[in-house]
Amino acid sequence: MELTEKNIKNFWKKVDIKSEDECWEWTGCKNNDDYGQININKKTYRSHRISWILHYDDIPKDNSIYGTMLVLHKCDNPGCVNPNHLFLGTNKDNMEDMVTKNRNKIP
């Protein structure tokens, strides 16, 4: 993905940057699941995926039916864009992370 200087400036205007260990909360628009989202070139992206791209590079394919890798949160805060809190994983990794952290409880 090609990000222009304008895209990058617009992204950072919507981030509450704190220390390296704290969540950097997305202050822009969020979806119903509390994930930040941003429009770039008339397409909507999740803000934590853009943060990954800005810090580490494009998100690779995972060589499965799911296409690209997921950008997961160590902190379990969907509004966080701190690159230190993000890691790449497959859909399977995401499900295992959910179970490990007891987030698979059905109310």
Side-chain angles (χ1 to χ4, degrees):
M1 165 190 290
E2 292 285 327
L3 293 171
T4 66
E5 225 20 71
K6 183 179 178 181
N7 297 144
I8 296 168
K9 282 183 182 180
N10 187 40
F11 177 86
W12 289 116
K13 285 194 301 188
K14 298 173 181 173
V15 179
D16 183 13
I17 298 175
K18 301 197 176 189
S19 76
E20 289 185 19
D21 297 331
E22 294 178 278
C23 289
W24 296 1
E25 197 65 36
W26 180 254
T27 62
C29 184
K30 292 185 178 182
N31 67 16
N32 291 338
D33 295 325
D34 218 23
Y35 285 94
Q37 54 188 38
I38 186 170
N39 291 320
I40 298 173
N41 301 326
K42 299 180 182 178
K43 186 172 177 189
T44 302
Y45 296 90
R46 288 191 174 180
S47 57
H48 65 289
R49 292 179 67 84
I50 299 302
S51 180
W52 179 274
I53 291 168
L54 288 172
H55 289 90
Y56 301 114
D57 206 358
D58 282 336
I59 300 166
K61 301 276 185 204
D62 76 354
N63 297 320
S64 76
I65 61 171
Y66 299 106
T68 58
M69 298 282 282
L70 302 176
V71 178
L72 309 175
H73 290 88
K74 296 174 190 172
C75 60
D76 293 333
N77 175 1
C80 178
V81 297
N82 182 340
N84 295 321
H85 291 192
L86 305 175
F87 65 102
L88 290 178
T90 63
N91 189 55
K92 181 180 180 220
D93 297 329
N94 192 32
M95 295 299 108
E96 289 172 354
D97 185 56
M98 176 183 69
V99 170
T100 300
K101 295 175 178 174
N102 285 321
R103 288 185 285 110
N104 61 326
K105 305 277 190 237
I106 298 173

